[in-house]
Amino acid sequence: VTEAHNIVVIGMGAGNPDYLTVQAIEALNSVDVFFIPDKGTEKAALRQLRETICKRFITRSDYRMVEFDVPPRRLSDADYAPSVDAWRHEVEDRYAGLLAQELKSRQRGGILVWGDPCLYDGSLRVLEGLVARGIAIDYEVIPGITAVQALAARHRIALNGVGEPVLLTTGRRLAAGEADAPNIVVMLDGSDAHTAAADDLEIFWGAYVGMPQEVLVAGRLGDVKDEITRRRGEGRDANGWIMDTYLLRRPGKAEE
Ligand SMILES: C[S@@+](CC[C@H](N)C(=O)[O-])C[C@H]1O[C@@H](n2cnc3c(N)ncnc32)[C@H](O)[C@@H]1O
């Protein structure tokens, strides 16, 4: 009987090493082999945070890092869901091979995830897919501070008005008019989708939240949307990548 692979998926927090939880630090120190997917645009940020975190919080010296390429994802509006499925299969093949190859008996594998694994991250779906294929994996998930929590804290706001719902969505869906809620949190906006929303909404925007190059802008969307577009461009030019998140809400509500 082959033993199950032992894996821990660790939320690192969305960019600031101080976001790491005590539980995450303990989990980091339990890992023998870290599996590090190379994810295109976020690569530079991810590498920096990972190195800082490992240096600062891991007390053992006998762990290894296994870096690997993730097959690129080809997106188009028409085949968004199928292309994600096909891509996930390729990624699963990659992980299956790596786990078999790199983890010795009784060793623990670790997957470091930006923010929290439960939000716009594919790691848990990959593991579910592997288990569904019959690969024995025993895995645990350690939560981290998401970009959403970091954004709200930096703007010192609650996401919801009293008793109201909050919608978490993508820039693509906002631009397509598929976001209708009193409070909308937008992530993964690659195309200035905020400019498509109604001018009288309030926006709380943040790029590189929690990081040294953090930029925050808040106000009536009609008044600040051009500034946000400009700052996004400047950030991308200066850093080579950008991660930003924003809350859009109807104006004039009392906060909880
Ligand atoms: C692939 S998702 C990963 C989200 C992550 N799992 C989390 O819990 O925050 C990447 C998106 O998260 C948002 N994001 C992550 N870190 C951020 C940060 N430090 N500041 C602003 N937005 C961030 C951006 O919307 C970015 O496009």
Side-chain angles (χ1 to χ4, degrees), residues 45-59:
L46 215 79
R47 166 159 294 144
Q48 202 185 2
L49 181 65
R50 193 177 69 228
E51 281 172 1
T52 309
I53 280 176
C54 291
K55 214 154 79 195
R56 203 165 129 190
F57 298 107
I58 301 184
T59 50

Side-chain angles (χ1 to χ4, degrees), residues 67-256:
E67 299 194 23
F68 61 100
D69 291 334
V70 179
R73 193 164 63 166
R74 290 164 296 276
L75 296 182
S76 79
D77 280 358
D79 62 3
Y80 186 68
S83 75
V84 169
D85 279 351
W87 172 76
R88 198 151 61 226
H89 270 102
E90 281 181 61
V91 176
E92 282 174 17
D93 289 342
R94 201 87 182 76
Y95 273 81
L98 282 168
L99 294 185
Q101 205 178 306
E102 303 287 348
L103 276 184
K104 295 200 191 84
S105 176
R106 281 192 296 279
Q107 282 195 327
R108 189 171 215 209
I111 299 174
L112 296 178
V113 171
W114 187 271
D116 187 278
C118 77
L119 192 61
Y120 293 122
D121 184 85
S123 307
L124 297 183
R125 269 185 299 269
V126 170
L127 292 175
E128 279 166 21
L130 293 178
V131 170
R133 289 183 181 195
I135 299 173
I137 305 178
D138 185 8
Y139 63 98
E140 185 187 2
V141 179
I142 310 294
I145 302 287
T146 67
V148 181
Q149 292 160 284
L151 176 80
R154 294 297 290 135
H155 281 288
R156 303 182 302 176
I157 52 164
L159 295 176
N160 59 293
V162 180
E164 285 181 351
V166 179
L167 175 68
L168 290 178
T169 191
T170 62
R172 193 180 143 269
R173 287 191 185 272
L174 179 72
E178 291 172 22
D180 182 22
N183 308 282
I184 302 170
V185 175
V186 182
M187 303 175 79
L188 294 161
D189 181 357
S191 58
D192 292 317
H194 70 283
T195 56
D199 274 354
D200 62 349
L201 293 176
E202 277 184 294
I203 187 166
F204 296 86
W205 177 83
Y208 316 99
V209 177
M211 309 176 75
Q213 62 273 59
E214 178 182 271
V215 193
L216 302 172
V217 175
R220 185 182 160 273
L221 184 58
D223 297 337
V224 298
K225 67 179 176 189
D226 291 344
E227 181 187 352
I228 290 172
T229 304
R230 178 172 56 77
R231 296 243 187 170
R232 291 183 98 218
E234 287 169 0
R236 194 178 280 116
D237 289 347
N239 298 282
W241 56 275
I242 187 164
M243 282 197 270
D244 63 339
T245 301
Y246 48 95
L247 170 72
L248 290 168
R249 72 178 186 196
R250 294 176 191 151
K253 291 184 291 89
E255 275 173 35
E256 204 161 4

